[in-house]
Amino acid sequence: MSNVREFLTSLGLEVKTEGSQLRVDCQECDDTKMHLYIEQGNGLGYCHKCGWSPNPYKLIEKITSKTPAEIMKMLDEHGLNDSNHGQSAVSNQRSAISEEKKVPTAHGNKMMLSKEDVLPLTKQERTDFCQLKQIDEAAFEKFRPYAHAKEPWVLIPVFSPDAP
């Protein structure tokens, strides 16, 4: 179980509770009025001053000079290294019902997917994915991403210059 308050104080941040969220000073915009709100359950944040949306990894990375291995160890120590944080309920359900192999059949360098394997992403899945990966939703949408029907995968169509 995660203890987000303990995690934030271990980073040297002053923490205040507001409703179901925690407030700290934003490290991205040098805020001193605690505009960065952090969810107590998973450590995801949003600054109401600059719009920065850090996950616990990004927060450690911003505040400390720890290596990626040290960051992962710290996340483990605080129960925040859960791969399900930030995933939508639909993604979790898809992974729970999957009984097939985890890797599609590979033919050379190509992965073979049938039409039944590919579904459009829901608005909530796009929003959750972009928040988790800290990418702009409008830019992500230009790639016309899809979801895998049985796996918690995001599929981004690509083309080969040899065979567009």
Side-chain angles (χ1 to χ4, degrees):
M1 175 152 177
S2 68
N3 186 340
V4 175
R5 177 181 286 280
E6 183 182 294
F7 162 69
L8 295 171
T9 56
S10 75
L11 291 173
L13 297 172
E14 182 184 341
V15 182
K16 290 189 179 179
T17 303
E18 182 156 323
S20 65
Q21 296 189 329
L22 303 172
R23 290 177 54 191
V24 297
D25 290 338
C26 179
Q27 304 300 306
E28 182 73 10
C29 65
D30 297 322
D31 168 50
T32 58
K33 305 264 188 211
M34 298 187 157
H35 285 103
L36 180 59
Y37 287 72
I38 308 285
E39 292 181 31
Q40 290 191 55
N42 58 19
L44 296 176
Y46 180 79
C47 177
H48 290 272
K49 184 176 178 186
C50 71
W52 187 46
S53 298
N55 58 34
Y57 187 99
K58 289 288 183 187
L59 200 56
I60 297 170
E61 191 175 56
K62 185 74 174 180
I63 295 173
T64 72
S65 58
K66 292 184 181 294
T67 65
E70 292 169 326
I71 292 173
M72 295 306 288
K73 182 178 180 200
M74 187 173 186
L75 292 174
D76 283 337
E77 290 169 356
H78 292 281
L80 293 168
N81 194 12
D82 183 354
S83 63
N84 289 328
H85 284 159
Q87 286 186 352
S88 72
V90 174
S91 295
N92 288 336
Q93 180 183 6
R94 284 183 180 151
S95 66
I97 62 172
S98 174
E99 296 178 8
E100 295 181 18
K101 291 170 49 175
K102 290 289 181 191
V103 180
T105 305
H107 296 283
N109 291 332
K110 298 179 183 179
M111 296 178 114
M112 303 303 291
L113 297 172
S114 69
K115 289 182 181 181
E116 294 80 29
D117 291 333
V118 180
L119 299 172
L121 281 171
T122 66
K123 173 70 174 150
Q124 187 62 49
E125 286 175 316
R126 280 194 311 272
T127 301
D128 289 349
F129 183 82
C130 290
Q131 182 181 14
L132 182 67
K133 298 298 183 182
Q134 297 185 352
I135 57 177
D136 181 70
E137 196 168 342
F140 180 63
E141 189 58 33
K142 290 187 186 265
F143 289 100
R144 296 177 35 202
Y146 291 93
H148 193 280
K150 297 175 186 138
E151 303 293 339
W153 298 339
V154 171
L155 306 170
I156 300 173
V158 297
F159 73 95
S160 166
D162 299 331

